[in-house]
Amino acid sequence: MWLSDTQKIGVGLTAFGLFFMLMGVMMFFDGGLLAIGNILFLAGLTLVIGTQKTIYFFGRPQKIRGTICFFAGILLVFIKWPKLGVVIEFFGFINLFGDFFPVIIGFLRKLPVIGNILSAPGISKIVDRMSGHRLPV
């Protein structure tokens, strides 16, 4: 595989972070699970792309609103306001990582079962609008 050992650990930490965040939301916004998920997600992201690139990613001037909202949401989760924190964190997440959605959707369309679902007539229009791709026909 083309990932180093550190990056493989980072992918695992990121996946566990997303899992804990999902479980925190499913358990009616459990602050402990959300906090653990946030810490694991940030640690995993740092291990995958490196410390310097992580600082650059969150410090870009065109993404500063997303960065502020993302970290403010994490802070609100830490001080026991998980519902408001998750909403603000989600807004920041969309602002920071929204550029990657077309790449993710393109990858998902190439998968055997999920690709067929995303190509269904009603769903394909919604997915095309989400990814920003417009077909000429």
Side-chain angles (χ1 to χ4, degrees):
M1 196 168 179
W2 52 274
L3 295 174
S4 70
D5 289 340
T6 304
Q7 289 174 323
K8 289 177 187 176
I9 293 170
V11 168
L13 288 177
T14 303
F16 275 121
L18 292 173
F19 172 74
F20 275 104
M21 282 192 264
L22 177 67
M23 291 304 295
V25 171
M26 288 176 60
M27 298 291 178
F28 302 111
F29 296 96
D30 181 49
L33 289 174
L34 291 169
I36 291 170
N38 286 328
I39 291 169
L40 290 174
F41 178 78
L42 289 175
L45 183 68
T46 303
L47 288 177
V48 169
I49 65 174
T51 307
Q52 192 172 16
K53 288 182 181 179
T54 302
I55 292 170
Y56 174 74
F57 177 76
F58 284 111
R60 290 184 296 173
Q62 65 268 26
K63 299 285 185 176
I64 197 70
R65 182 177 64 183
T67 301
I68 291 171
C69 288
F70 186 72
F71 284 111
I74 291 174
L75 181 67
L76 287 172
V77 167
F78 285 162
I79 62 171
K80 303 290 185 187
W81 288 14
K83 291 178 184 172
L84 181 62
V86 167
V87 169
I88 293 174
E89 186 178 343
F90 182 71
F91 178 75
F93 186 85
I94 295 297
N95 280 313
L96 283 171
F97 298 101
D99 297 341
F100 298 116
F101 289 151
V103 175
I104 293 169
I105 290 173
F107 172 75
L108 290 175
R109 281 189 168 163
K110 294 178 183 175
L111 294 176
V113 175
I114 298 173
N116 292 336
I117 294 171
L118 294 178
S119 297
I123 297 174
S124 66
K125 291 181 182 180
I126 297 169
V127 172
D128 288 339
R129 185 171 292 164
M130 283 176 50
S131 66
H133 292 287
R134 306 248 179 198
L135 296 175
V137 177

